[in-house]
Amino acid sequence: MNPQEIEQRARRLCQHLVDGIAQSNLGSTTPAIYDTAWLSMVAKPDGESAVWLFPDSFQYLLNQQLPSGGWEAYATKEDGILNSLAALLALKRHQASSSPSDLLLEPIQRATMFLRNSLQTLDVDDCLNVGFEILVPALLELLGEEDIHLSFPGRETLVVLGREKMELFSPDLLYGSAETTLFHSLEALTGKIDFSQIQHRKTFGSMMGSPASTAAYLINNPEWDDEAESYLRTVILEGTGKGTGACPSAFPTPIFEISWIISLLLQGGFSGESLGQQNLGIIGSYLEQQYLAHHGLIGFAPSIQADADDSAKVLLTLNLLGHKHSAKSLTEHFRSDDGHFYTYTGERNSSVSANCNVLRALLETPDPKSYMADVVSILGYLCESWWNDCIKDKWNISPQYSMMLLAETLVRLLEAWDQCLIDQLPDSLLQDRVPILLIQILNRTMTYLGNNSERGLDQHREVISYAVLTLKAVSTLPWLGDLKESVLSCIEEWQSFLRERRTSWEKPQYLETAKIVHIFSKLQCFQSAPDWEIGAAVLEGSFFLPQLRASQASLLGGELSAKNEYISFIPCTWVVVNTMQKLFLDTHVLWDMMVLSLRNFRVDEYMETTIARLSEPELREAIAVVRTLCQLWNAEEYPSDALSTQTFSDTNASNVAESEASSSSSAPISRSSSDKTAPTASPSLPIVTRIHLSLSHYVQSILNNPSIDKASQQSRIALRTALQTFLISHIDQTLYNKHCSAKRQASVLDCTQAQPQVHASSSFADWLHKIAGPSVSASFSFTFLTCLKGGFRSPTARYMATDFGERVGLMSRLYNDLGSVARDRAEENLNCVDFAEVHNYQATEAAKTRLKEMAQYERDAARWVGLRLIGELQADEGKDKARKADTVRLFLGVAELYADIYVLRDLSNRLDGGK
């Protein structure tokens, strides 16, 4: 399609909107099974009997029943359930008048069987469909009256949810003049209200422009309403069903369609000339008339209850067309007490899409700076929603839709900032959170489009279009560097994909980054990965690096060593596995694990410097200190207010004052993400006191970390045990190093000849399993990760998790030693190859070959245990089981990545003055 053809199609679309304004019948929403089912149940009194008012609707329903027995699920399983419940109710109500009497028996049986099976696996807690918690219980109750009883595990939970929502409801709310979205779902109130008392609430003959709700009103009203009948007949004839009996879920929708389409075209670069100035004039006048008539509070059609999305879109469109209006009504009416915005007043949960639309509208007002408090509040809400992995939207279930809105809105925000249209944005949002969010969106969108296996499975043109628009927005960012070429290439590739399928469009469907990229690209696990994917993941990781660097001085009371190459790798390792394995765990988890990784590297250095210089009696005192710190741990010993409440972005010292001033708009990623600076232990203090001061801060930061508040007490005790084992094993390893150091004058060393009596080790395997493996932070770190997700419920899963962590620790130690033979020899550290059972009195290279075989064995074992653990979690861990299983995949992926990196390159700091 050439530019001229695109322009012609856009102009025709504008003409279609203008024609709709003239005819007052604009509505392009696709036919809906659910609403069609309700229309098919409308019977008009005819003397002593009644006649079905819309027989074509019932026939359409029969024709649309699938071989499975159910009806189409447009986007989610819940759609299919809701459609099938309404359709089955229609079948049952028609059964008595059917001829022959058993004509509908077979479709009823198939529909019932479909619903019995589908409802068994319904995850009630994860349902986002609007009104689901009141519509489904109502339909189940109505089917019960028809002698169809459906039982399923989540039914009671669903009934409770519906009851809680209805407890706030009073019929008087409908009988008066108060606004409520319940008028869009009156079918849920069958038997609960007097329908004869709501006739005055009609709008152009309908109940809030809803065919299903209007049908329910007609069915339950003891007095026939000719105006409502006329509305439904108009929907059947002039809606998208075009006389087939099918009807949409809302009609008409002129304000919605005009404002959303025109704003999209104008933001997409179409000029007034290309769209037709005369048509835009008519459209602008129509929208301004509606805006003024309703005082800036507008719904999807004239006189329909106002919502934030449509009000914002109309305001945006008017300002883009040059009709300048303020956002005073919008901000005052829909703003929540927390500063962000709800779609409808009185709503329980806000949505990402509504807040994006409001922010986008504010940025195009004549004076955006006058709304900076709202801009900052919305921005903080959007960033926090992304960080918490809470971007699912009840109005559009595709996560790519939310990502598109976030990308377009935040890129426009950055443009407005650059143009000085807005000011006073906190650095904590502008410099830290927004760039990370946008790079993560880019990364996930490129991954979605770049996954060739999805092309045969996911051909949803609409979702692909969201992804392309996302990339087009993000492609304008100045930080992409060499990645920009890959982004533009991806855009062109998928635009071609969409153009090739143009004939089916009308059918609806539901840091030192270069060095790190170079190292990652040499790893076998990434050999087949495209360059852009590695580069994008590393770029995302690099945005965490400034905050991670800023936090380093607070660890263990001192600065890190001058050469700390590993800190550049930490964020990239977590991000690259999260992205390339398509796990997309929430950013809070990633950040907490990045901080923990940095702490663990720092503890390694502390052990290899400060602790390593102690005498053997002092080392035994150090072990006693660790036991005391861990065993005395409880909420009273380490009160939560002893920890910092700084946010992720507050770690930048230069921004602390500003961050505190704007704390209400920049919620924390982790209260412990940047601890208060640890006390520096003076050399004049007794050694035990110095160790206690240094390690107590580290222990507190782990065991009293606010991010694990939701973990069970059992899980937190397991964390304490794992932490104690890690620290004591580290000190035990130091004792081994000292005893074996004297033997290093020989070219080979049998370390079992010089072991301290900390453990009764008698072999390499004993040393590896009891000291060396536990001295790697893997086991305790995995326990911490499980606590971030609340811990594991199943005793079997907890047992497997312990075994998994230990296996990963063994694997990590073997690979670590494989890559650090030279450094360990120089620093007189005990290495696996020093054992006779490994070197077998042969050259070092032969020993390394054997060690590599052992490392691969433990890698295979860790993978096997990990798979068993994932299976156990998926079978017995409730609604969060998928994300818990993903934490196992994430941890193993990162551990294997570090294993491969260590073989390729030793990241540990060489000790100053090392031998």
Side-chain angles (χ1 to χ4, degrees):
M1 185 185 301
N2 58 46
Q4 291 76 17
E5 189 176 355
I6 294 174
E7 187 173 301
Q8 290 171 3
R9 289 176 69 94
R11 186 184 286 261
R12 286 200 299 270
L13 183 56
C14 288
Q15 184 62 53
H16 167 74
L17 297 177
V18 169
D19 293 342
I21 292 173
Q23 298 168 14
S24 302
N25 64 351
L26 187 59
S28 305
T29 308
T30 52
I33 292 294
Y34 179 84
D35 290 76
T36 303
W38 276 101
L39 260 69
S40 75
M41 289 185 271
V42 178
K44 185 175 184 178
D46 184 16
E48 297 258 334
S49 60
V51 294
W52 298 114
L53 196 61
F54 302 108
D56 288 345
S57 296
F58 184 66
Q59 188 58 51
Y60 178 87
L61 210 60
L62 288 175
N63 295 342
Q64 294 299 311
Q65 188 174 22
L66 301 173
S68 64
W71 279 261
E72 185 176 4
Y74 306 122
T76 67
K77 176 182 178 180
E78 291 76 30
D79 285 336
I81 289 174
L82 204 56
N83 289 342
S84 299
L85 285 169
L88 177 57
L89 181 62
L91 291 178
K92 285 296 294 180
R93 290 189 173 179
H94 276 260
Q95 187 179 27
S97 62
S98 64
S99 180
S101 58
D102 61 350
L103 179 66
L104 299 178
L105 184 61
E106 189 266 343
I108 288 173
Q109 289 176 339
R110 288 196 297 119
T112 304
M113 184 60 67
F114 168 81
L115 283 167
R116 289 193 196 283
N117 293 334
S118 298
L119 288 168
Q120 293 305 310
T121 56
L122 176 65
D123 187 351
V124 173
D125 293 325
D126 199 41
C127 292
L128 277 177
N129 296 55
V130 179
F132 193 81
E133 70 273 25
I134 64 169
L135 292 174
V136 172
L139 286 166
L140 291 172
E141 187 176 331
L142 292 173
L143 283 169
E145 295 174 3
E146 302 290 340
D147 203 29
I148 291 183
H149 305 281
L150 300 168
S151 300
F152 54 96
R155 177 163 182 163
E156 187 56 34
T157 301
L158 194 59
V159 169
V160 169
L161 286 174
R163 189 182 301 129
E164 288 176 353
K165 190 160 188 176
M166 294 304 295
E167 281 177 356
L168 303 174
F169 165 73
S170 168
D172 292 336
L173 182 68
L174 303 181
Y175 303 155
S177 58
E179 289 189 333
T180 171
T181 55
L182 283 172
F183 279 104
H184 205 273
S185 307
L186 289 176
E187 63 273 21
L189 302 180
T190 300
K192 298 178 176 65
I193 65 169
D194 181 356
F195 281 83
S196 67
Q197 293 194 48
I198 61 172
Q199 184 174 3
H200 65 289
R201 302 303 298 268
K202 290 180 298 179
T203 303
F204 44 80
S206 78
M207 289 298 173
M208 203 175 169
S210 166
S213 190
T214 308
Y217 161 73
L218 262 184
I219 292 169
N220 292 285
N221 191 351
E223 298 182 8
W224 190 254
D225 191 316
D226 291 329
E227 188 184 16
E229 176 188 348
S230 176
Y231 164 76
L232 292 178
R233 290 191 181 281
T234 299
V235 173
I236 291 292
L237 292 174
E238 298 185 7
T240 48
K242 300 302 180 185
T244 62
C247 73
S249 59
F251 185 89
T253 53
I255 295 176
F256 166 76
E257 294 189 28
I258 292 170
S259 61
W260 289 64
I261 290 172
I262 296 301
S263 62
L264 179 63
L265 291 175
L266 293 174
Q267 291 173 89
F270 286 92
S271 65
E273 289 74 18
S274 62
L275 297 177
Q277 291 287 11
Q278 183 177 356
N279 283 340
L280 289 183
I282 295 171
I283 287 170
S285 296
Y286 173 78
L287 290 180
E288 190 162 43
Q289 178 188 8
Q290 296 299 324
Y291 182 87
L292 295 174
H294 297 93
H295 309 290
L297 303 175
I298 304 173
F300 61 80
S303 301
I304 291 292
Q305 182 178 345
D307 64 87
D309 286 300
D310 288 304
S311 298
K313 283 292 185 180
V314 169
L315 178 63
L316 171 65
T317 306
L318 286 173
N319 281 312
L320 290 175
L321 287 171
H323 300 256
K324 299 301 180 181
H325 292 278
S326 77
K328 186 174 184 293
S329 297
L330 174 68
T331 55
E332 290 180 352
H333 191 75
F334 295 105
R335 186 194 297 119
S336 72
D337 292 339
D338 295 326
H340 51 269
F341 288 75
Y342 290 117
T343 306
Y344 289 99
T345 54
E347 212 170 23
R348 184 175 58 180
N349 300 313
S350 56
S351 73
V352 167
S353 62
N355 281 273
C356 283
N357 290 330
V358 171
L359 179 53
R360 189 69 178 84
L362 295 180
L363 295 175
E364 301 303 331
T365 56
D367 182 19
K369 290 181 181 179
S370 63
Y371 303 104
M372 283 311 302
D374 290 316
V375 169
V376 172
S377 294
I378 295 173
L379 185 57
Y381 166 79
L382 293 176
C383 289
E384 188 63 15
S385 297
W386 177 266
W387 250 254
N388 285 323
D389 196 21
C390 296
I391 65 164
K392 282 186 177 179
D393 200 87
K394 56 188 174 183
W395 306 112
N396 190 312
I397 55 88
S398 169
Q400 195 62 58
Y401 177 76
S402 296
M403 286 192 277
M404 176 193 72
L405 285 181
L406 282 167
E408 292 180 336
T409 303
L410 296 184
V411 167
R412 177 58 188 137
L413 177 94
L414 295 176
E415 291 173 351
W417 171 267
D418 191 53
Q419 296 163 1
C420 298
L421 297 176
I422 55 175
D423 56 12
Q424 299 178 355
L425 281 180
D427 287 347
S428 56
L429 294 174
L430 185 67
Q431 296 180 10
D432 298 332
R433 287 198 162 197
V434 170
I436 289 174
L437 190 159
L438 287 171
I439 290 299
Q440 288 182 330
I441 286 176
L442 169 65
N443 222 331
R444 297 180 189 189
T445 303
M446 292 278 284
T447 300
Y448 164 70
L449 291 177
N451 187 352
N452 290 326
S453 64
E454 289 187 4
R455 292 199 186 183
L457 301 174
D458 186 357
Q459 297 293 339
H460 292 289
R461 298 176 299 279
E462 183 178 340
V463 178
I464 292 172
S465 298
Y466 297 154
V468 172
L469 290 172
T470 302
L471 293 186
K472 286 184 74 69
V474 180
S475 68
T476 63
L477 294 174
W479 340 298
L480 299 185
D482 294 339
L483 186 61
K484 183 166 186 174
E485 184 177 343
S486 298
V487 174
L488 296 176
S489 175
C490 187
I491 292 172
E492 176 54 35
E493 176 186 355
W494 286 97
Q495 283 180 328
S496 297
F497 173 89
L498 292 170
R499 283 193 292 267
E500 289 167 4
R501 288 152 182 80
R502 183 178 55 178
T503 56
S504 60
W505 282 4
E506 294 181 2
K507 182 180 179 181
Q509 292 183 306
Y510 300 110
L511 136 122
E512 298 167 278
T513 56
K515 179 168 66 177
I516 298 176
V517 169
H518 175 69
I519 292 174
F520 280 7
S521 65
K522 293 176 67 175
L523 300 177
Q524 185 174 358
C525 58
F526 297 144
Q527 287 295 306
S528 60
D531 291 342
W532 73 261
E533 195 167 7
I534 299 174
V538 172
L539 180 61
E540 178 184 328
S542 71
F543 279 96
F544 290 94
L545 190 55
Q547 289 72 46
L548 205 57
R549 286 193 187 279
S551 70
Q552 62 186 356
S554 68
L555 301 175
L556 292 163
E559 295 286 349
L560 293 171
S561 301
K563 182 179 182 298
N564 47 18
E565 183 180 26
Y566 57 73
I567 194 172
S568 300
F569 280 81
I570 288 173
C572 297
T573 53
W574 290 100
V575 167
V576 76
V577 174
N578 186 53
T579 298
M580 298 186 74
Q581 290 196 20
K582 299 170 181 61
L583 305 175
F584 302 133
L585 285 158
D586 61 86
T587 309
H588 273 287
V589 169
L590 296 183
W591 173 249
D592 283 330
M593 294 309 294
M594 290 174 196
V595 174
L596 181 67
S597 298
L598 180 58
R599 287 193 177 111
N600 293 343
F601 271 113
R602 186 66 179 96
V603 166
D604 286 344
E605 284 192 4
Y606 179 75
M607 291 290 182
E608 294 177 1
T609 53
T610 304
I611 297 296
R613 296 190 182 103
L614 303 180
S615 65
E616 186 168 329
E618 289 172 333
L619 287 171
R620 297 187 187 282
E621 286 189 82
I623 290 175
V625 169
V626 170
R627 286 201 173 101
T628 299
L629 287 172
C630 293
Q631 292 302 323
L632 290 181
W633 162 78
N634 57 51
E636 294 179 357
E637 291 289 330
Y638 297 120
S640 60
D641 60 6
L643 294 177
S644 168
T645 57
Q646 287 177 308
T647 67
F648 162 82
S649 54
D650 291 336
T651 55
N652 186 335
S654 65
N655 295 327
V656 169
E658 182 178 6
S659 297
E660 289 176 350
S662 61
S663 59
S664 62
S665 65
S666 180
I669 287 183
S670 168
R671 286 181 286 165
S672 65
S673 60
S674 174
D675 297 334
K676 294 176 181 177
T677 302
T680 301
S682 170
S684 63
L685 293 173
I687 185 62
V688 173
T689 304
R690 299 205 308 268
I691 296 171
H692 190 283
L693 282 172
S694 294
L695 289 182
S696 63
H697 190 71
Y698 172 74
V699 171
Q700 287 183 54
S701 72
I702 305 300
L703 298 183
N704 260 40
N705 192 311
S707 294
I708 64 171
D709 282 348
K710 293 182 180 180
S712 65
Q713 188 71 2
Q714 189 174 25
S715 297
R716 298 181 75 175
I717 290 172
L719 177 62
R720 178 189 67 186
T721 302
L723 176 59
Q724 176 178 300
T725 300
F726 162 60
L727 291 173
I728 290 177
S729 297
H730 232 315
I731 299 172
D732 280 351
Q733 177 63 47
T734 302
L735 283 164
Y736 262 82
N737 290 343
K738 286 183 175 293
H739 280 261
C740 294
S741 177
K743 299 292 183 179
R744 286 189 179 276
Q745 302 303 319
S747 59
V748 293
L749 171 67
D750 183 354
C751 290
T752 59
Q753 303 295 317
Q755 52 182 296
Q757 296 304 310
V758 179
H759 288 290
S761 297
S762 59
S763 68
F764 165 66
D766 283 340
W767 170 79
L768 180 65
H769 283 259
K770 294 177 181 177
I771 296 177
S775 72
V776 177
S777 61
S779 183
F780 125 72
S781 295
F782 180 65
T783 307
F784 180 82
L785 177 56
T786 64
C787 286
L788 290 177
K789 285 298 182 181
F792 293 160
R793 184 177 63 187
S794 155
T796 304
R798 290 197 296 270
Y799 175 82
M800 289 180 174
T802 301
D803 187 35
F804 173 72
E806 291 174 354
R807 289 290 179 183
V808 174
L810 295 174
M811 176 197 77
S812 300
R813 179 57 194 246
L814 291 168
Y815 277 109
N816 191 317
D817 280 17
L818 189 60
S820 63
V821 173
R823 180 175 66 89
D824 286 338
R825 292 261 169 91
E827 296 175 0
E828 298 186 348
N829 293 327
L830 182 58
N831 188 289
C832 291
V833 298
D834 293 327
F835 283 81
E837 293 149 292
V838 178
H839 62 63
N840 198 27
Y841 301 97
Q842 295 178 346
T844 300
E845 288 307 313
K848 290 174 71 173
T849 299
R850 278 188 209 92
L851 189 60
K852 188 174 183 179
E853 293 171 353
M854 296 175 187
Q856 185 61 50
Y857 169 81
E858 290 297 348
R859 189 176 202 155
D860 293 341
R863 288 174 174 175
W864 184 84
V865 176
L867 286 174
R868 291 293 303 273
L869 174 57
I870 288 169
E872 176 65 21
L873 292 173
Q874 290 175 332
D876 195 37
E877 285 294 324
K879 66 175 183 178
D880 203 26
K881 59 187 178 183
R883 300 314 267 164
K884 289 183 178 181
D886 284 342
T887 62
V888 180
R889 297 184 179 96
L890 175 70
F891 192 80
L892 181 59
V894 171
E896 290 197 68
L897 178 55
Y898 271 114
D900 291 341
I901 291 173
Y902 269 112
V903 172
L904 191 66
R905 182 190 192 93
D906 184 4
L907 296 180
S908 300
N909 285 341
R910 291 293 183 100
L911 300 184
D912 294 337
K915 298 178 183 178

